[in-house]
Amino acid sequence: MANRTDPTAATVHGTNPQNLIEYIVRCKIYDCQYWKEHCFGLTAESLLDKAVQLRACGGTFGGARKPCEFLCLILKLLQLQPEKDIIIAYIQNDEFKYVRILGAYYLRLVGKPLEVYRYLEPLLFDNRKVRIRNLDGSFSLSHVDECVDQMLHTDLLFDIALPRIPHRLMLERTKQLDPRVSVLEENFDEEALMAEAGAVAEAEAAAKETEDAVAKERSRSRSRSR
């Protein structure tokens, strides 16, 4: 029973939610110690207690391809299929960065394209450091915004093939999404920059004229003294 999907869970992308993780990877998760000791009997609410204890994210690692705790909790979320409000609360959690990534990754797996862009793009401004478990078992440094960017633009992340979503430009052309304005574009005022450049050029020209006038006056003074 511990490895079965909640009977009330709806299908995702036309299949059992657990099938979003490949069968071999699922079997490794079912057999790992963390799953047996910490994931049995979890509910959508109690899973949060495990999520706040995460210290890294990743897929499988080592010669035996042992699953990370992060991947185990993702599978548990797929089994439980929590209410959307709970996942949004995970994503909007500013205190625990791994809870945020957990919620974002789950939504990327099960969410509709508009939901994915709507809730994940704001996370591109979160530049907090996170640890990633590499295939060889070592850790590497990344950032929340980098992980989210990979969720939006790659096909495979943390050993799970991500469901395909339309490119953002396609949704903009069909008027389903507004054009995304970056922070740099918001702060870029071309007219103001041109005016500032003109003022600088005028100041430099005035300074040059003053220097030339001073140089001529000195030259005249020297001629008179002779």
Side-chain angles (χ1 to χ4, degrees):
M1 292 294 293
N3 297 339
R4 294 184 180 179
T5 305
D6 190 308
T8 62
T11 59
V12 176
H13 306 302
T15 186
N16 185 315
Q18 288 196 82
N19 292 341
L20 295 176
I21 299 179
E22 293 184 2
Y23 177 75
I24 295 178
V25 178
R26 292 204 312 271
C27 290
K28 291 182 180 296
I29 295 175
Y30 296 151
D31 291 337
C32 77
Q33 184 177 359
Y34 181 82
W35 177 266
K36 295 176 181 179
E37 293 184 359
H38 298 278
C39 296
F40 181 81
L42 285 180
T43 64
E45 292 76 15
S46 61
L47 189 144
L48 180 61
D49 296 331
K50 299 297 180 183
V52 299
Q53 298 174 12
L54 289 173
R55 294 296 177 265
C57 50
T60 58
F61 65 93
R65 303 301 295 270
K66 180 181 178 181
C68 293
E69 297 174 359
F70 178 88
L71 194 60
C72 293
L73 294 183
I74 285 295
L75 180 57
K76 196 64 184 180
L77 284 173
L78 291 172
Q79 280 189 354
L80 297 173
Q81 198 175 79
E83 295 291 334
K84 180 180 175 181
D85 292 342
I86 295 178
I87 299 303
I88 293 175
Y90 279 25
I91 296 173
Q92 295 176 345
N93 189 306
D94 294 326
E95 184 176 0
F96 299 102
K97 53 192 175 184
Y98 293 108
V99 172
R100 168 168 283 184
I101 296 178
L102 186 74
Y105 190 68
Y106 174 79
L107 183 64
R108 175 62 181 86
L109 291 175
V110 305
K112 298 177 181 179
L114 290 179
E115 292 177 332
V116 171
Y117 283 109
R118 183 180 304 158
Y119 291 108
L120 265 62
E121 282 188 337
L123 305 187
L124 294 173
F125 299 101
D126 188 345
N127 59 2
R128 286 178 293 177
K129 297 177 181 179
V130 293
R131 295 201 308 170
I132 304 295
R133 195 72 181 259
N134 299 318
L135 181 60
D136 61 0
S138 63
F139 292 95
S140 60
L141 179 66
S142 186
H143 300 81
V144 174
D145 57 338
E146 291 181 56
C147 292
V148 173
D149 185 73
Q150 288 179 307
M151 294 178 199
L152 295 174
H153 298 103
T154 60
D155 297 326
L156 181 69
L157 183 63
F158 303 146
D159 290 319
I160 299 179
L162 301 177
R164 293 186 178 275
I165 57 174
H167 194 277
R168 195 186 203 287
L169 185 59
M170 299 287 292
L171 298 177
E172 290 180 10
R173 289 176 176 173
T174 56
K175 307 299 182 181
Q176 297 182 65
L177 280 178
D178 295 329
R180 183 166 175 261
V181 180
S182 70
V183 176
L184 293 177
E185 291 178 351
E186 288 178 346
N187 296 333
F188 184 80
D189 189 337
E190 186 174 359
E191 294 183 359
L193 290 177
M194 292 294 293
E196 183 179 352
V200 171
E202 291 178 0
E204 290 178 350
K208 178 65 174 175
E209 291 179 0
T210 302
E211 290 178 1
D212 292 343
V214 171
K216 289 180 181 179
E217 185 64 27
R218 287 178 179 174
S219 177
R220 291 175 183 174
S221 299
R222 290 173 183 173
S223 298
R224 292 173 183 172
S225 62
R226 291 176 183 176

